[in-house]
Amino acid sequence: MQVKQYFKLKENIPSRLYIGLGLFSFGALFLLWCILTYGGHVPALFLPSPTDIAQQFWLMVTEMNLFSDIVASVYRVSAGFLLASIIGVPIGLLMGSFKIAEGLVEPIVGFVRYMPASAFIPLLILWIGIGDLQKIAVIFIGTFFQQVLMVRDVTKNVSQELIDTSYTLGATQKAAFLKVVLPSALPGIMDTLRITLGWAWTYLVVAELVAASSGLGYMIMESQRFLRTAGIIVGILVIGLLGLITDSLFKAAYNKMFPWLQGGVE
Amino acid sequence: MTAIRKEYLKVIDGYSQKAEPKLKVHHVSKTFAQKGQTITALQDTTFDVREGEFVTILGPSGCGKSTILKVIAGLTEPSSGYVMLNDRRIFGPGSDRGMVFQGYTLFPWLTVEQNIGFGLQLKGMAKAERKEIIEHYLHLIGLNGFGRMYPNNLSGGMKQRVAIARALANDPEVLLMDEPFGALDAQTRTVMQELLLNVWEESKKTILFVTHDIDEAIFMGDRVYVMTARPGRLKAEIPVPIPRPREFSVKTSPLFMQLKAEILELIREESWKAASEVGSKGWSPTTA
Ligand SMILES: Nc1ncnc2c1ncn2[C@@H]1O[C@H](COP(=O)(O)OP(=O)(O)OP(=O)(O)O)[C@@H](O)[C@H]1O
Ligand SMILES: [Mg+2]
């Protein structure tokens, strides 16, 4: 048994060991939680035990319509995120390809992106009320400007030599854009979407903490009002789980779309 | 030996009078503006390449070799002068001038086959016809059975072979090659040189090939243009009367050695000149 071999800089380790390590840290954390709660070291108001959480989860599913909150939140995130992506990705592509588009859009986007999306909430309530549209707008603002700039950078980094190569093979500007710039930028665009989707969830919760009557953020807020700590934790766990699912979907799509990248992400 | 050369030169002269130049580079120069300074990448350069000829340009790093090829390819506008192909002035890039670049430029998201067929597809060629041409060139570069691989899985030498096949498949009038073997190890390089010569003899293409390797320039070329160091300028034209087909073994022949010595002498002269110019600006130890 050579333990030393597992401590080499950036060296690979067997995948079973890798997975085992992950399970181990999860298990250790869970054990600590059990000791703290069942051992009575922490009051249940601060940290409920695993069984409390499980019971609360069941209660929420059966009697408090947890699923309708999930549906409401997923809808808002999807709508805001898709809207931002549909507009943001093409604008980013144009900015990265044509200086004239960059000159036109860059100053505004560069300025607005430093304004926190959450600070727009009061303004948005004033403008469009407290319905779904307002939540969607917060998510849009939180993701759109970042997407535009990230996609622009991805597009700018497309190798000029590859574009030149296509010209020497007879490509027109349009063909070079469609057949070189686009496929070249696609993995980077997917990365951008994956990262910004994570941010969209953050902004969703922020939006739902204020003036909402449904959704996971609202549910967390309500739980806090009634000192239902287990409810808060259920909400956080559900959001984490949803994030995990979408992330693995992204990863799977990535590997499927870009077999040429060898191994895909991570 | 010199007698042989003189004999051959006559032959070449006779040939040059008959064949019209296919590619003419006419007083081309290129300067870049950078932070208020102008950098001369290429001084007044004139030369030509005849139909079916293999011409090499030999020059040190940074002398403007890539710049010449990019001007011919139409990727860079010359600051003055112009380029003619088949007696027509060129403006902008086109598929009549294929290029193999210094770095690896296969499209990584396309398979080897799709890379080779890229230009054909742009032309709107039918799939069956495309397939036939792709097969032909895969065979020519010795990569049968690699067609469905992605470039990421290929070695450097294989990548450049595919890049050559991709350029040739498009059937260009001239093939421009920018140090295509520069990044390869010595053994692979030798193999690639022979392979390219075979491909050339088979395809009868007109090739302009740029390199900083003296042996490569002589081994491959019908003529070698020697360039000076920055800012680049053509210094001499050396015909290479080594009979074809050439094999690796000619690199140790007396004629090859003689040509190499001649070119080395030219380069040495040039380096001395450059060194004395630096001296006159007060950088040499004697004035310091
Ligand atoms: N776009 C550019 N802007 C400014 N200077 C440039 C540009 N392209 C080339 N140069 C300069 O022009 C000179 C010639 O460049 P070029 O790439 O043609 O040299 P090269 O002979 O191909 O060199 P290498 O052997 O390194 O490939 C260099 O000094 C380079 O710094
Ligand atoms: Mg170069």
Side-chain angles (χ1 to χ4, degrees):
Chain A
M1 247 317 245
Q2 272 282 351
V3 180
K4 234 171 131 184
Q5 66 183 346
Y6 297 138
F7 288 89
K8 281 188 186 148
L9 202 59
K10 300 188 81 176
E11 199 68 28
N12 248 333
I13 58 169
S15 65
R16 274 164 102 194
L17 179 61
Y18 189 88
I19 294 166
L21 285 170
L23 290 175
F24 171 77
S25 39
F26 247 110
L29 201 66
F30 190 74
L31 194 69
L32 183 70
W33 182 15
C34 289
I35 293 171
L36 286 178
T37 50
Y38 295 129
H41 300 288
V42 182
L45 180 63
F46 291 141
L47 186 65
S49 69
T51 24
D52 289 345
I53 305 272
Q55 273 169 2
Q56 179 66 34
F57 176 73
W58 189 242
L59 190 74
M60 289 177 132
V61 170
T62 52
E63 283 172 31
M64 297 164 77
N65 253 334
L66 177 64
F67 283 118
S68 69
D69 282 326
I70 292 179
V71 169
S73 290
V74 169
Y75 163 67
R76 290 165 186 161
V77 168
S78 314
F81 176 76
L82 283 180
L83 206 64
S85 310
I86 288 169
I87 307 173
V89 171
I91 292 182
L93 275 166
L94 283 178
M95 282 172 78
S97 305
F98 299 101
K99 268 277 177 233
I100 192 160
E102 192 182 7
L104 195 68
V105 184
E106 162 81 37
I108 304 172
V109 175
F111 182 44
V112 178
R113 87 162 153 154
Y114 285 108
M115 306 176 183
S118 39
F120 277 91
I121 293 176
L123 195 61
L124 287 170
I125 292 177
L126 207 63
W127 284 348
I128 47 183
I130 56 169
D132 271 351
L133 202 57
Q134 176 256 332
K135 274 74 184 174
I136 293 169
V138 174
I139 294 165
F140 181 89
I141 293 173
T143 48
F144 172 79
F145 297 98
Q146 305 289 343
Q147 279 181 346
V148 166
L149 294 180
M150 286 165 84
V151 172
R152 177 204 59 183
D153 287 343
V154 165
T155 312
K156 272 195 162 178
N157 283 333
V158 171
S159 149
Q160 183 61 43
E161 256 194 354
L162 286 189
I163 297 172
D164 283 349
T165 301
S166 77
Y167 285 145
T168 64
L169 291 168
T172 57
Q173 260 216 84
K174 187 178 151 203
F177 182 80
L178 292 177
K179 296 191 163 228
V180 179
V181 175
L182 219 49
S184 238
L186 213 50
I189 292 175
M190 282 293 280
D191 277 336
T192 301
L193 294 181
R194 186 171 154 218
I195 294 165
T196 50
L197 182 56
W199 298 345
W201 273 100
T202 315
Y203 287 115
L204 168 87
V205 175
V206 174
E208 285 181 346
L209 290 178
V210 185
S213 53
S214 65
L216 289 165
Y218 162 76
M219 189 274 269
I220 291 172
M221 215 49 204
E222 284 288 293
S223 299
Q224 189 232 17
R225 249 186 29 196
F226 298 108
L227 295 180
R228 223 186 291 128
T229 317
I232 301 178
I233 294 180
V234 168
I236 294 173
L237 286 176
V238 167
I239 293 173
L241 208 64
L242 289 173
L244 201 65
I245 292 169
T246 42
D247 209 60
S248 9
L249 287 178
F250 256 102
K251 244 190 254 180
Y254 201 91
N255 288 335
K256 189 135 190 86
M257 284 169 78
F258 313 119
W260 50 274
L261 274 176
Q262 236 185 8
V265 269
E266 285 157 24
Chain B
M1 199 162 45
T2 31
I4 302 171
R5 268 204 72 191
K6 286 223 176 80
E7 196 59 27
Y8 197 85
L9 279 179
K10 252 185 247 158
V11 177
I12 287 185
D13 273 353
Y15 176 66
S16 73
Q17 273 156 21
K18 262 180 269 158
E20 259 296 290
K22 185 173 189 70
L23 179 75
K24 277 193 250 182
V25 175
H26 191 81
H27 295 294
V28 164
S29 71
K30 180 70 189 176
T31 53
F32 290 104
Q34 213 174 45
K35 293 178 196 140
Q37 279 188 319
T38 54
I39 300 168
T40 306
L42 191 63
Q43 288 185 49
D44 188 339
T45 297
T46 300
F47 68 96
D48 52 45
V49 182
R50 292 183 281 271
E51 172 95 50
E53 215 182 2
F54 198 128
V55 170
T56 55
I57 295 180
L58 172 68
S61 187
C63 73
K65 304 185 296 298
S66 295
T67 305
I68 293 188
L69 290 193
K70 281 187 181 161
V71 168
I72 298 172
L75 298 170
T76 303
E77 287 268 315
S79 305
S80 64
Y82 56 86
V83 176
M84 310 260 280
L85 180 66
N86 293 331
D87 285 323
R88 283 171 61 181
R89 191 167 165 183
I90 64 110
F91 296 97
S95 61
D96 49 353
R97 286 147 290 141
M99 181 137 167
V100 177
F101 288 80
Q102 201 167 354
Y104 298 129
T105 55
L106 293 185
F107 303 118
W109 57 89
L110 299 180
T111 61
V112 167
E113 279 174 359
Q114 291 166 332
N115 263 286
I116 298 176
F118 186 89
L120 304 176
Q121 200 181 13
L122 284 176
K123 281 180 191 160
M125 184 183 283
K127 198 170 174 193
E129 200 181 344
R130 222 158 63 208
K131 179 118 190 113
E132 207 170 294
I133 296 176
I134 292 169
E135 285 301 321
H136 171 76
Y137 282 100
L138 268 179
H139 180 73
L140 199 63
I141 57 168
L143 286 182
N144 287 319
F146 286 85
R148 288 172 185 275
M149 278 204 169
Y150 285 106
N152 277 348
N153 301 323
L154 301 179
S155 70
M158 288 172 164
K159 283 182 196 169
Q160 287 309 67
R161 275 191 264 175
V162 177
I164 292 168
R166 177 176 64 182
L168 285 174
N170 231 13
D171 197 24
E173 296 276 332
V174 234
L175 181 58
L176 310 168
M177 305 187 86
D178 190 358
E179 301 193 48
F181 311 144
L184 305 179
D185 60 81
Q187 281 111 313
T188 314
R189 188 176 248 257
T190 308
V191 173
M192 295 290 288
Q193 289 168 353
E194 282 187 326
L195 184 128
L196 178 60
L197 282 186
N198 289 338
V199 168
W200 172 65
E201 255 141 48
E202 141 104 9
S203 66
K204 299 273 166 259
K205 279 283 161 241
T206 309
I207 298 184
L208 180 59
F209 183 105
V210 150
T211 179
H212 64 252
D213 179 333
I214 298 183
D215 284 21
E216 188 168 73
I218 302 171
F219 181 60
M220 310 294 283
D222 292 321
R223 289 184 289 138
V224 180
Y225 284 109
V226 182
M227 282 185 84
T228 63
R230 273 183 75 182
R233 187 169 47 80
L234 290 187
K235 182 180 168 68
E237 176 193 347
I238 316 273
V240 182
I242 300 173
R244 298 194 188 263
R246 294 176 192 168
E247 271 169 20
F248 181 64
S249 55
V250 304
K251 285 191 182 177
T252 47
S253 71
L255 181 52
F256 193 95
M257 293 301 188
Q258 191 202 333
L259 286 165
K260 190 169 169 178
E262 214 171 291
I263 292 174
L264 274 171
E265 181 58 31
L266 276 169
I267 292 172
R268 201 178 66 96
E269 246 173 54
E270 198 51 42
S271 320
W272 275 110
K273 226 191 278 170
S276 65
E277 267 166 36
V278 171
S280 68
K281 282 176 196 157
W283 287 96
S284 79
T286 46
T287 52

Coordinates of all heavy atoms in Angstrom, one line a residue, chain A residues 1-28:
Chain A
M1 N 0.8 -1.2 0.0 CA 0.0 0.0 0.0 C 0.9 1.3 0.0 O 1.6 1.5 0.9 CB -0.9 0.0 1.3 CG -2.4 -0.2 1.0 SD -3.0 0.8 -0.3 CE -4.1 1.9 0.5
Q2 N 0.8 2.0 -1.1 CA 1.6 3.2 -1.1 C 0.6 4.4 -1.0 O -0.1 4.7 -2.0 CB 2.3 3.3 -2.5 CG 3.7 2.6 -2.4 CD 4.7 3.5 -1.8 OE1 4.4 4.7 -1.5 NE2 5.9 3.0 -1.5
V3 N 0.5 5.0 0.1 CA -0.4 6.1 0.3 C 0.1 7.3 -0.4 O -0.6 8.2 -0.9 CB -0.6 6.4 1.8 CG1 -1.6 7.6 2.0 CG2 -1.2 5.2 2.5
K4 N 1.4 7.4 -0.4 CA 2.1 8.6 -1.0 C 1.7 8.9 -2.4 O 1.6 10.1 -2.8 CB 3.6 8.3 -1.0 CG 4.4 9.4 -0.2 CD 5.8 9.0 -0.1 CE 6.8 10.1 -0.5 NZ 8.2 9.5 -0.4
Q5 N 1.4 7.8 -3.2 CA 1.1 8.0 -4.6 C -0.2 8.9 -4.8 O -0.4 9.4 -5.9 CB 1.0 6.7 -5.3 CG -0.2 5.9 -4.8 CD -0.3 4.5 -5.5 OE1 0.4 4.3 -6.4 NE2 -1.1 3.6 -4.9
Y6 N -1.0 8.9 -3.8 CA -2.3 9.7 -3.9 C -2.1 11.2 -3.6 O -3.0 12.0 -3.7 CB -3.4 9.1 -3.0 CG -3.7 7.7 -3.3 CD1 -3.9 6.7 -2.3 CD2 -3.9 7.3 -4.7 CE1 -4.2 5.4 -2.7 CE2 -4.2 6.0 -5.0 CZ -4.4 5.1 -4.0 OH -4.7 3.8 -4.3
F7 N -0.9 11.5 -3.3 CA -0.6 12.9 -2.9 C 0.3 13.6 -3.9 O 1.1 14.4 -3.5 CB -0.1 13.0 -1.5 CG -1.1 12.7 -0.4 CD1 -1.4 11.4 0.0 CD2 -2.0 13.8 0.0 CE1 -2.3 11.2 0.9 CE2 -3.0 13.5 1.0 CZ -3.1 12.2 1.4
K8 N 0.2 13.2 -5.1 CA 1.1 13.8 -6.2 C 0.3 15.0 -6.8 O -0.9 14.9 -7.0 CB 1.5 12.8 -7.2 CG 2.6 11.9 -6.8 CD 3.1 11.0 -7.9 CE 4.1 10.0 -7.5 NZ 4.0 8.8 -8.3
L9 N 1.1 16.0 -7.0 CA 0.5 17.3 -7.6 C -0.3 17.0 -8.8 O 0.2 16.5 -9.8 CB 1.6 18.3 -7.8 CG 1.2 19.7 -7.9 CD1 0.6 20.2 -6.6 CD2 2.5 20.6 -8.2
K10 N -1.6 17.3 -8.8 CA -2.5 17.2 -10.0 C -2.6 15.8 -10.6 O -3.0 15.7 -11.7 CB -2.0 18.2 -11.1 CG -2.1 19.6 -10.6 CD -1.8 20.6 -11.7 CE -3.0 20.9 -12.6 NZ -2.8 21.9 -13.6
E11 N -2.1 14.8 -9.9 CA -2.1 13.5 -10.4 C -3.5 12.9 -10.3 O -4.2 13.2 -9.3 CB -1.0 12.6 -9.7 CG -0.6 11.4 -10.4 CD 0.2 11.7 -11.6 OE1 0.9 12.7 -11.7 OE2 0.2 10.8 -12.5
N12 N -3.9 12.0 -11.2 CA -5.2 11.3 -11.1 C -5.2 10.3 -10.0 O -4.1 9.7 -9.7 CB -5.5 10.7 -12.4 CG -6.7 11.4 -13.1 OD1 -7.5 12.0 -12.4 ND2 -6.8 11.3 -14.4
I13 N -6.3 10.1 -9.4 CA -6.5 9.0 -8.4 C -7.6 8.0 -9.0 O -8.4 8.4 -9.8 CB -6.8 9.5 -7.0 CG1 -8.1 10.3 -7.0 CG2 -5.7 10.3 -6.4 CD1 -8.7 10.6 -5.7
P14 N -7.6 6.8 -8.5 CA -8.7 5.9 -9.0 C -10.0 6.4 -8.8 O -10.3 7.1 -7.8 CB -8.5 4.6 -8.2 CG -7.1 4.7 -7.6 CD -6.7 6.1 -7.5
S15 N -11.0 6.2 -9.7 CA -12.3 6.9 -9.6 C -13.1 6.3 -8.4 O -13.9 7.1 -7.9 CB -13.0 6.7 -10.9 OG -13.3 5.3 -11.1
R16 N -12.8 5.1 -8.1 CA -13.5 4.6 -6.9 C -13.1 5.3 -5.6 O -13.9 5.6 -4.8 CB -13.2 3.1 -6.7 CG -14.1 2.2 -7.5 CD -13.6 0.8 -7.6 NE -14.2 -0.1 -6.7 CZ -13.7 -1.3 -6.4 NH1 -12.6 -1.7 -6.9 NH2 -14.4 -2.1 -5.7
L17 N -11.8 5.6 -5.5 CA -11.4 6.4 -4.4 C -12.0 7.8 -4.4 O -12.4 8.3 -3.4 CB -9.8 6.5 -4.5 CG -9.2 7.3 -3.3 CD1 -9.5 6.7 -2.0 CD2 -7.7 7.4 -3.6
Y18 N -12.1 8.4 -5.6 CA -12.6 9.7 -5.8 C -14.0 9.8 -5.3 O -14.4 10.7 -4.5 CB -12.5 10.1 -7.2 CG -12.9 11.6 -7.5 CD1 -11.9 12.6 -7.5 CD2 -14.2 12.0 -7.8 CE1 -12.2 13.9 -7.7 CE2 -14.5 13.3 -8.0 CZ -13.5 14.2 -8.0 OH -13.8 15.5 -8.2
I19 N -14.8 8.8 -5.7 CA -16.2 8.8 -5.3 C -16.3 8.5 -3.8 O -17.1 9.1 -3.1 CB -17.0 7.7 -6.1 CG1 -17.1 8.1 -7.6 CG2 -18.4 7.5 -5.6 CD1 -17.5 7.0 -8.5
G20 N -15.5 7.5 -3.3 CA -15.5 7.2 -1.9 C -15.2 8.4 -1.0 O -15.9 8.6 0.0
L21 N -14.3 9.2 -1.5 CA -13.9 10.4 -0.7 C -15.1 11.4 -0.6 O -15.4 11.9 0.5 CB -12.8 11.2 -1.4 CG -11.4 10.6 -1.2 CD1 -10.4 11.3 -2.1 CD2 -10.9 10.6 0.2
G22 N -15.9 11.5 -1.7 CA -17.1 12.3 -1.7 C -18.1 11.8 -0.7 O -18.7 12.6 0.1
L23 N -18.3 10.5 -0.8 CA -19.3 9.9 0.2 C -18.9 10.1 1.6 O -19.7 10.3 2.5 CB -19.5 8.4 -0.2 CG -20.2 8.1 -1.5 CD1 -20.2 6.6 -1.8 CD2 -21.6 8.6 -1.4
F24 N -17.5 9.9 1.8 CA -17.0 10.1 3.1 C -17.3 11.5 3.7 O -17.8 11.6 4.8 CB -15.5 9.8 3.1 CG -14.8 10.1 4.4 CD1 -15.0 9.2 5.5 CD2 -14.1 11.3 4.6 CE1 -14.4 9.5 6.7 CE2 -13.5 11.6 5.8 CZ -13.6 10.7 6.9
S25 N -17.0 12.5 2.9 CA -17.2 13.8 3.5 C -18.7 14.1 3.8 O -19.0 14.8 4.7 CB -16.6 14.9 2.7 OG -16.7 14.7 1.3
F26 N -19.5 13.6 2.8 CA -21.0 13.8 3.1 C -21.4 13.0 4.4 O -22.1 13.6 5.3 CB -21.8 13.1 1.9 CG -22.5 14.2 1.1 CD1 -22.1 14.5 -0.1 CD2 -23.6 14.8 1.7 CE1 -22.8 15.5 -0.9 CE2 -24.3 15.8 1.0 CZ -23.9 16.1 -0.3
G27 N -20.9 11.8 4.5 CA -21.2 11.0 5.7 C -20.7 11.7 7.0 O -21.5 11.7 8.0
A28 N -19.5 12.2 6.9 CA -19.0 12.9 8.1 C -19.8 14.1 8.6 O -20.1 14.2 9.7 CB -17.5 13.3 7.8

